[in-house]
Amino acid sequence: EKGGYDHFMLKEIHEQPKAIIDTYRGRMLADEGIIRMAGIDDNMNKFLNAERIIIVACGTSWHAGLVGEYLIEDKARIPVEVEYASEFRYRNPIITSKDVVIAISQSGETADTLAAIKLAKSKGAFVFGICNVVGSSIARETDAGAYTHAGPEIGVASTKAFTTQITVLTLIALKLASKKGEISKPKLRAFLQEMQMIPKKVEDLLKIDDKVKEIAAVYKDAPNCLYLGRGFNFPVALEGALKLKEISYIHAEGYPAAEMKHGPIALIDENMPIFVIATNKGHYEKVVSNIQEIKSRAGKIIAIVTEGDTQVKEIADHVIEIPETEEALSPLLTTIPFQLLSYHIAVMLGKNVDQPRNLAKSVTVE
Ligand code: M6R
């Protein structure tokens, strides 16, 4: 049932190229620059008239929501807020019938997310669900939605759910952008054609497993780790840190790279591994200077860079190369090495990868 893999998590990491294809299949005609999503098409006016979109979710799904915020604001120019479902439901939020709420949940059973949906509905908001489990409570409770077609995710650490949620959010952002005239047809076509290349690029990336394993062996005994990223890759830093904590029980924190100088920089010494996403587009030079700041404090730098990078390679202790892509699509690639890294560290430390202590696959209690 694990398809020859030692753990479900590893199997699910390797299923991502197919899961991403299954998620966009039938929804995009790249060469024609067309996106079809019934749940969006049927409710287009709700989205176009929305004063803002509020995304609610927990854990990894919340991280996908953050990527969604960057995508929807950048591409479709609609204001987006992302909130932990648990906070949203208890803070007496101002919410009206002019708001569209997007709830994201792999399991579709997360109690806090479900309660947030009910609250939003009671205030008259239109609620759209992005779920993986067909017929789940959240899928039933929402007004409309789009499924991720990741297939069953058994490992407690979410992997393919994350990349397929981002895939759906990308399609939504582009669909809205194109309807609003924020993106030209040729640009949309080019973007979708690039999106079609992502599964193959993920597949190529999965082949760097041995390199990630070597890095895992070097840092597996670190008591603390930092993960840094900017822009579209800031949420990937948060997700990288969550993966590590969850299955290896190593304390890790994700930060926007530029925020480091406002506090976490005090933690840096020669014992601190820092995983930095430094891909070539979007704030590259800024991230390079963040890396220099770490280096001058003797921190260990493991950088995710774009193939062919030379500048970061000179300063970092280790680099992991990812294939070139659109900046907005890069989270689908940069997240892969982090998933593999946490997996290998957890295995090396003898932890229960698929069922980490104190955690359940879906959190159905508040
Ligand atoms: O099923 P959901 O997407 O609603 O679950 C939300 C979180 O509980 C979940 O993502 C959790 O953070 C994962 N274990 C992370 O790997």
PDB file of all heavy atoms in Angstrom, residues 226 228 255-269 272 274 289-299:
ATOM      1  N   LEU A 226      16.485  27.785  11.355  1.00  0.00           N
ATOM      2  CA  LEU A 226      15.698  28.910  10.829  1.00  0.00           C
ATOM      3  C   LEU A 226      15.439  28.685   9.343  1.00  0.00           C
ATOM      4  O   LEU A 226      16.300  28.166   8.637  1.00  0.00           O
ATOM      5  CB  LEU A 226      16.493  30.207  10.954  1.00  0.00           C
ATOM      6  CG  LEU A 226      16.290  31.131  12.147  1.00  0.00           C
ATOM      7  CD1 LEU A 226      17.158  32.380  11.968  1.00  0.00           C
ATOM      8  CD2 LEU A 226      14.838  31.537  12.311  1.00  0.00           C
ATOM      9  N   LEU A 228      14.187  30.885   5.955  1.00  0.00           N
ATOM     10  CA  LEU A 228      13.919  32.240   5.475  1.00  0.00           C
ATOM     11  C   LEU A 228      13.514  32.261   4.005  1.00  0.00           C
ATOM     12  O   LEU A 228      14.039  31.496   3.195  1.00  0.00           O
ATOM     13  CB  LEU A 228      15.179  33.106   5.629  1.00  0.00           C
ATOM     14  CG  LEU A 228      15.816  33.196   7.018  1.00  0.00           C
ATOM     15  CD1 LEU A 228      17.108  34.014   6.941  1.00  0.00           C
ATOM     16  CD2 LEU A 228      14.861  33.826   8.026  1.00  0.00           C
ATOM     17  N   TYR A 255      10.687  32.593   8.815  1.00  0.00           N
ATOM     18  CA  TYR A 255      10.625  34.061   8.894  1.00  0.00           C
ATOM     19  C   TYR A 255      10.728  34.664   7.501  1.00  0.00           C
ATOM     20  O   TYR A 255      11.407  34.104   6.641  1.00  0.00           O
ATOM     21  CB  TYR A 255      11.825  34.579   9.701  1.00  0.00           C
ATOM     22  CG  TYR A 255      11.480  34.970  11.107  1.00  0.00           C
ATOM     23  CD1 TYR A 255      11.614  34.066  12.152  1.00  0.00           C
ATOM     24  CD2 TYR A 255      11.019  36.255  11.385  1.00  0.00           C
ATOM     25  CE1 TYR A 255      11.287  34.429  13.453  1.00  0.00           C
ATOM     26  CE2 TYR A 255      10.697  36.619  12.675  1.00  0.00           C
ATOM     27  CZ  TYR A 255      10.827  35.708  13.695  1.00  0.00           C
ATOM     28  OH  TYR A 255      10.515  36.077  14.964  1.00  0.00           O
ATOM     29  N   PRO A 256      10.121  35.834   7.310  1.00  0.00           N
ATOM     30  CA  PRO A 256      10.447  36.557   6.080  1.00  0.00           C
ATOM     31  C   PRO A 256      11.905  36.995   6.216  1.00  0.00           C
ATOM     32  O   PRO A 256      12.297  37.499   7.278  1.00  0.00           O
ATOM     33  CB  PRO A 256       9.521  37.778   6.113  1.00  0.00           C
ATOM     34  CG  PRO A 256       8.597  37.588   7.270  1.00  0.00           C
ATOM     35  CD  PRO A 256       9.195  36.568   8.184  1.00  0.00           C
ATOM     36  N   ALA A 257      12.699  36.781   5.179  1.00  0.00           N
ATOM     37  CA  ALA A 257      14.151  36.995   5.304  1.00  0.00           C
ATOM     38  C   ALA A 257      14.495  38.377   5.853  1.00  0.00           C
ATOM     39  O   ALA A 257      15.400  38.530   6.671  1.00  0.00           O
ATOM     40  CB  ALA A 257      14.818  36.775   3.949  1.00  0.00           C
ATOM     41  N   ALA A 258      13.756  39.398   5.442  1.00  0.00           N
ATOM     42  CA  ALA A 258      14.104  40.760   5.857  1.00  0.00           C
ATOM     43  C   ALA A 258      13.745  41.029   7.312  1.00  0.00           C
ATOM     44  O   ALA A 258      14.231  41.980   7.918  1.00  0.00           O
ATOM     45  CB  ALA A 258      13.391  41.772   4.966  1.00  0.00           C
ATOM     46  N   GLU A 259      12.912  40.193   7.884  1.00  0.00           N
ATOM     47  CA  GLU A 259      12.478  40.374   9.263  1.00  0.00           C
ATOM     48  C   GLU A 259      13.545  39.860  10.242  1.00  0.00           C
ATOM     49  O   GLU A 259      13.527  40.187  11.430  1.00  0.00           O
ATOM     50  CB  GLU A 259      11.143  39.627   9.448  1.00  0.00           C
ATOM     51  CG  GLU A 259      10.365  39.895  10.704  1.00  0.00           C
ATOM     52  CD  GLU A 259       9.926  41.346  10.911  1.00  0.00           C
ATOM     53  OE1 GLU A 259       9.845  42.125   9.946  1.00  0.00           O
ATOM     54  OE2 GLU A 259       9.678  41.686  12.079  1.00  0.00           O
ATOM     55  N   MET A 260      14.481  39.106   9.716  1.00  0.00           N
ATOM     56  CA  MET A 260      15.521  38.513  10.555  1.00  0.00           C
ATOM     57  C   MET A 260      16.248  39.550  11.410  1.00  0.00           C
ATOM     58  O   MET A 260      16.513  39.333  12.579  1.00  0.00           O
ATOM     59  CB  MET A 260      16.517  37.821   9.629  1.00  0.00           C
ATOM     60  CG  MET A 260      17.486  36.935  10.340  1.00  0.00           C
ATOM     61  SD  MET A 260      18.637  36.215   9.164  1.00  0.00           S
ATOM     62  CE  MET A 260      19.486  37.666   8.556  1.00  0.00           C
ATOM     63  N   LYS A 261      16.519  40.702  10.790  1.00  0.00           N
ATOM     64  CA  LYS A 261      17.279  41.731  11.513  1.00  0.00           C
ATOM     65  C   LYS A 261      16.478  42.370  12.630  1.00  0.00           C
ATOM     66  O   LYS A 261      17.005  43.141  13.413  1.00  0.00           O
ATOM     67  CB  LYS A 261      17.792  42.791  10.536  1.00  0.00           C
ATOM     68  CG  LYS A 261      16.707  43.494   9.741  1.00  0.00           C
ATOM     69  CD  LYS A 261      17.341  44.454   8.743  1.00  0.00           C
ATOM     70  CE  LYS A 261      16.350  45.027   7.753  1.00  0.00           C
ATOM     71  NZ  LYS A 261      15.691  44.040   6.887  1.00  0.00           N
ATOM     72  N   HIS A 262      15.208  42.062  12.715  1.00  0.00           N
ATOM     73  CA  HIS A 262      14.378  42.621  13.796  1.00  0.00           C
ATOM     74  C   HIS A 262      14.291  41.685  14.993  1.00  0.00           C
ATOM     75  O   HIS A 262      13.384  41.818  15.803  1.00  0.00           O
ATOM     76  CB  HIS A 262      12.987  42.957  13.253  1.00  0.00           C
ATOM     77  CG  HIS A 262      13.026  43.986  12.172  1.00  0.00           C
ATOM     78  ND1 HIS A 262      13.225  45.330  12.417  1.00  0.00           N
ATOM     79  CD2 HIS A 262      12.949  43.863  10.825  1.00  0.00           C
ATOM     80  CE1 HIS A 262      13.255  45.988  11.260  1.00  0.00           C
ATOM     81  NE2 HIS A 262      13.082  45.112  10.290  1.00  0.00           N
ATOM     82  N   GLY A 263      15.151  40.737  15.092  1.00  0.00           N
ATOM     83  CA  GLY A 263      15.123  39.856  16.262  1.00  0.00           C
ATOM     84  C   GLY A 263      15.867  38.553  16.094  1.00  0.00           C
ATOM     85  O   GLY A 263      16.885  38.328  16.751  1.00  0.00           O
ATOM     86  N   PRO A 264      15.407  37.684  15.190  1.00  0.00           N
ATOM     87  CA  PRO A 264      15.993  36.339  15.127  1.00  0.00           C
ATOM     88  C   PRO A 264      17.487  36.326  14.843  1.00  0.00           C
ATOM     89  O   PRO A 264      18.163  35.349  15.187  1.00  0.00           O
ATOM     90  CB  PRO A 264      15.234  35.648  13.988  1.00  0.00           C
ATOM     91  CG  PRO A 264      14.128  36.542  13.598  1.00  0.00           C
ATOM     92  CD  PRO A 264      14.269  37.854  14.283  1.00  0.00           C
ATOM     93  N   ILE A 265      17.997  37.396  14.292  1.00  0.00           N
ATOM     94  CA  ILE A 265      19.434  37.442  13.996  1.00  0.00           C
ATOM     95  C   ILE A 265      20.264  37.220  15.270  1.00  0.00           C
ATOM     96  O   ILE A 265      21.383  36.712  15.228  1.00  0.00           O
ATOM     97  CB  ILE A 265      19.795  38.783  13.292  1.00  0.00           C
ATOM     98  CG1 ILE A 265      21.138  38.676  12.594  1.00  0.00           C
ATOM     99  CG2 ILE A 265      19.740  39.968  14.254  1.00  0.00           C
ATOM    100  CD1 ILE A 265      21.382  39.755  11.572  1.00  0.00           C
ATOM    101  N   ALA A 266      19.675  37.550  16.410  1.00  0.00           N
ATOM    102  CA  ALA A 266      20.367  37.355  17.688  1.00  0.00           C
ATOM    103  C   ALA A 266      20.640  35.882  17.964  1.00  0.00           C
ATOM    104  O   ALA A 266      21.530  35.532  18.741  1.00  0.00           O
ATOM    105  CB  ALA A 266      19.545  37.965  18.827  1.00  0.00           C
ATOM    106  N   LEU A 267      19.886  35.007  17.336  1.00  0.00           N
ATOM    107  CA  LEU A 267      20.050  33.568  17.569  1.00  0.00           C
ATOM    108  C   LEU A 267      21.209  32.972  16.797  1.00  0.00           C
ATOM    109  O   LEU A 267      21.641  31.851  17.052  1.00  0.00           O
ATOM    110  CB  LEU A 267      18.778  32.826  17.121  1.00  0.00           C
ATOM    111  CG  LEU A 267      17.484  33.059  17.885  1.00  0.00           C
ATOM    112  CD1 LEU A 267      16.310  32.506  17.077  1.00  0.00           C
ATOM    113  CD2 LEU A 267      17.562  32.384  19.243  1.00  0.00           C
ATOM    114  N   ILE A 268      21.688  33.717  15.804  1.00  0.00           N
ATOM    115  CA  ILE A 268      22.633  33.107  14.863  1.00  0.00           C
ATOM    116  C   ILE A 268      24.039  32.979  15.443  1.00  0.00           C
ATOM    117  O   ILE A 268      24.634  33.937  15.910  1.00  0.00           O
ATOM    118  CB  ILE A 268      22.677  33.908  13.544  1.00  0.00           C
ATOM    119  CG1 ILE A 268      21.288  33.850  12.895  1.00  0.00           C
ATOM    120  CG2 ILE A 268      23.744  33.352  12.603  1.00  0.00           C
ATOM    121  CD1 ILE A 268      21.172  34.671  11.638  1.00  0.00           C
ATOM    122  N   ASP A 269      24.531  31.746  15.420  1.00  0.00           N
ATOM    123  CA  ASP A 269      25.936  31.487  15.713  1.00  0.00           C
ATOM    124  C   ASP A 269      26.353  30.279  14.876  1.00  0.00           C
ATOM    125  O   ASP A 269      25.576  29.829  14.030  1.00  0.00           O
ATOM    126  CB  ASP A 269      26.170  31.260  17.221  1.00  0.00           C
ATOM    127  CG  ASP A 269      25.424  30.033  17.740  1.00  0.00           C
ATOM    128  OD1 ASP A 269      24.930  29.227  16.925  1.00  0.00           O
ATOM    129  OD2 ASP A 269      25.333  29.884  18.973  1.00  0.00           O
ATOM    130  N   MET A 272      23.901  27.297  14.244  1.00  0.00           N
ATOM    131  CA  MET A 272      22.543  27.475  13.724  1.00  0.00           C
ATOM    132  C   MET A 272      22.461  27.265  12.209  1.00  0.00           C
ATOM    133  O   MET A 272      22.980  28.065  11.434  1.00  0.00           O
ATOM    134  CB  MET A 272      22.064  28.888  14.078  1.00  0.00           C
ATOM    135  CG  MET A 272      20.724  29.235  13.504  1.00  0.00           C
ATOM    136  SD  MET A 272      19.375  28.379  14.336  1.00  0.00           S
ATOM    137  CE  MET A 272      18.738  29.710  15.323  1.00  0.00           C
ATOM    138  N   ILE A 274      20.644  27.603   8.759  1.00  0.00           N
ATOM    139  CA  ILE A 274      19.616  28.505   8.233  1.00  0.00           C
ATOM    140  C   ILE A 274      19.338  28.151   6.771  1.00  0.00           C
ATOM    141  O   ILE A 274      20.232  28.184   5.928  1.00  0.00           O
ATOM    142  CB  ILE A 274      20.066  29.971   8.373  1.00  0.00           C
ATOM    143  CG1 ILE A 274      20.235  30.251   9.873  1.00  0.00           C
ATOM    144  CG2 ILE A 274      19.033  30.935   7.804  1.00  0.00           C
ATOM    145  CD1 ILE A 274      21.282  31.226  10.185  1.00  0.00           C
ATOM    146  N   SER A 289      21.947  39.751   0.296  1.00  0.00           N
ATOM    147  CA  SER A 289      22.524  40.533   1.402  1.00  0.00           C
ATOM    148  C   SER A 289      22.088  39.960   2.750  1.00  0.00           C
ATOM    149  O   SER A 289      22.856  39.980   3.711  1.00  0.00           O
ATOM    150  CB  SER A 289      22.265  42.029   1.268  1.00  0.00           C
ATOM    151  OG  SER A 289      20.913  42.306   1.339  1.00  0.00           O
ATOM    152  N   ASN A 290      20.887  39.388   2.841  1.00  0.00           N
ATOM    153  CA  ASN A 290      20.493  38.692   4.072  1.00  0.00           C
ATOM    154  C   ASN A 290      21.455  37.520   4.339  1.00  0.00           C
ATOM    155  O   ASN A 290      21.857  37.272   5.475  1.00  0.00           O
ATOM    156  CB  ASN A 290      19.073  38.125   3.979  1.00  0.00           C
ATOM    157  CG  ASN A 290      17.997  39.207   3.865  1.00  0.00           C
ATOM    158  OD1 ASN A 290      17.011  39.023   3.155  1.00  0.00           O
ATOM    159  ND2 ASN A 290      18.185  40.327   4.549  1.00  0.00           N
ATOM    160  N   ILE A 291      21.830  36.826   3.276  1.00  0.00           N
ATOM    161  CA  ILE A 291      22.733  35.677   3.429  1.00  0.00           C
ATOM    162  C   ILE A 291      24.105  36.152   3.921  1.00  0.00           C
ATOM    163  O   ILE A 291      24.730  35.517   4.770  1.00  0.00           O
ATOM    164  CB  ILE A 291      22.846  34.895   2.095  1.00  0.00           C
ATOM    165  CG1 ILE A 291      21.491  34.237   1.760  1.00  0.00           C
ATOM    166  CG2 ILE A 291      23.937  33.832   2.163  1.00  0.00           C
ATOM    167  CD1 ILE A 291      21.447  33.531   0.426  1.00  0.00           C
ATOM    168  N   GLN A 292      24.535  37.297   3.382  1.00  0.00           N
ATOM    169  CA  GLN A 292      25.825  37.835   3.845  1.00  0.00           C
ATOM    170  C   GLN A 292      25.785  38.178   5.326  1.00  0.00           C
ATOM    171  O   GLN A 292      26.760  37.950   6.054  1.00  0.00           O
ATOM    172  CB  GLN A 292      26.224  39.055   3.004  1.00  0.00           C
ATOM    173  CG  GLN A 292      27.086  38.639   1.820  1.00  0.00           C
ATOM    174  CD  GLN A 292      26.874  39.508   0.595  1.00  0.00           C
ATOM    175  OE1 GLN A 292      26.000  40.382   0.582  1.00  0.00           O
ATOM    176  NE2 GLN A 292      27.667  39.269  -0.437  1.00  0.00           N
ATOM    177  N   GLU A 293      24.643  38.698   5.767  1.00  0.00           N
ATOM    178  CA  GLU A 293      24.508  39.033   7.201  1.00  0.00           C
ATOM    179  C   GLU A 293      24.635  37.769   8.066  1.00  0.00           C
ATOM    180  O   GLU A 293      25.220  37.781   9.142  1.00  0.00           O
ATOM    181  CB  GLU A 293      23.138  39.664   7.470  1.00  0.00           C
ATOM    182  CG  GLU A 293      22.992  41.102   6.978  1.00  0.00           C
ATOM    183  CD  GLU A 293      21.530  41.503   6.728  1.00  0.00           C
ATOM    184  OE1 GLU A 293      20.620  40.789   7.230  1.00  0.00           O
ATOM    185  OE2 GLU A 293      21.315  42.494   6.033  1.00  0.00           O
ATOM    186  N   ILE A 294      24.065  36.684   7.571  1.00  0.00           N
ATOM    187  CA  ILE A 294      24.147  35.421   8.314  1.00  0.00           C
ATOM    188  C   ILE A 294      25.583  34.925   8.347  1.00  0.00           C
ATOM    189  O   ILE A 294      26.103  34.507   9.376  1.00  0.00           O
ATOM    190  CB  ILE A 294      23.251  34.345   7.643  1.00  0.00           C
ATOM    191  CG1 ILE A 294      21.785  34.793   7.596  1.00  0.00           C
ATOM    192  CG2 ILE A 294      23.386  33.012   8.377  1.00  0.00           C
ATOM    193  CD1 ILE A 294      20.907  33.929   6.711  1.00  0.00           C
ATOM    194  N   LYS A 295      26.209  35.008   7.158  1.00  0.00           N
ATOM    195  CA  LYS A 295      27.584  34.525   7.025  1.00  0.00           C
ATOM    196  C   LYS A 295      28.518  35.260   7.983  1.00  0.00           C
ATOM    197  O   LYS A 295      29.359  34.646   8.633  1.00  0.00           O
ATOM    198  CB  LYS A 295      28.042  34.753   5.578  1.00  0.00           C
ATOM    199  CG  LYS A 295      29.327  34.083   5.226  1.00  0.00           C
ATOM    200  CD  LYS A 295      29.104  32.590   5.069  1.00  0.00           C
ATOM    201  CE  LYS A 295      30.410  31.874   4.814  1.00  0.00           C
ATOM    202  NZ  LYS A 295      30.219  30.427   4.769  1.00  0.00           N
ATOM    203  N   SER A 296      28.328  36.554   8.096  1.00  0.00           N
ATOM    204  CA  SER A 296      29.246  37.304   8.943  1.00  0.00           C
ATOM    205  C   SER A 296      29.015  36.999  10.427  1.00  0.00           C
ATOM    206  O   SER A 296      29.811  37.386  11.267  1.00  0.00           O
ATOM    207  CB  SER A 296      29.129  38.803   8.667  1.00  0.00           C
ATOM    208  OG  SER A 296      27.835  39.231   8.998  1.00  0.00           O
ATOM    209  N   ARG A 297      27.938  36.275  10.723  1.00  0.00           N
ATOM    210  CA  ARG A 297      27.712  35.840  12.107  1.00  0.00           C
ATOM    211  C   ARG A 297      27.951  34.349  12.261  1.00  0.00           C
ATOM    212  O   ARG A 297      27.509  33.721  13.219  1.00  0.00           O
ATOM    213  CB  ARG A 297      26.302  36.224  12.546  1.00  0.00           C
ATOM    214  CG  ARG A 297      26.222  37.721  12.787  1.00  0.00           C
ATOM    215  CD  ARG A 297      24.822  38.268  12.692  1.00  0.00           C
ATOM    216  NE  ARG A 297      24.861  39.727  12.831  1.00  0.00           N
ATOM    217  CZ  ARG A 297      25.030  40.581  11.804  1.00  0.00           C
ATOM    218  NH1 ARG A 297      25.179  40.137  10.569  1.00  0.00           N
ATOM    219  NH2 ARG A 297      25.055  41.871  12.010  1.00  0.00           N
ATOM    220  N   ALA A 298      28.596  33.775  11.265  1.00  0.00           N
ATOM    221  CA  ALA A 298      29.043  32.378  11.276  1.00  0.00           C
ATOM    222  C   ALA A 298      27.929  31.343  11.183  1.00  0.00           C
ATOM    223  O   ALA A 298      28.154  30.156  11.392  1.00  0.00           O
ATOM    224  CB  ALA A 298      29.918  32.105  12.509  1.00  0.00           C
ATOM    225  N   GLY A 299      26.710  31.773  10.859  1.00  0.00           N
ATOM    226  CA  GLY A 299      25.614  30.812  10.684  1.00  0.00           C
ATOM    227  C   GLY A 299      25.870  29.884   9.508  1.00  0.00           C
ATOM    228  O   GLY A 299      26.582  30.236   8.573  1.00  0.00           O
TER     229      GLY A 299
END
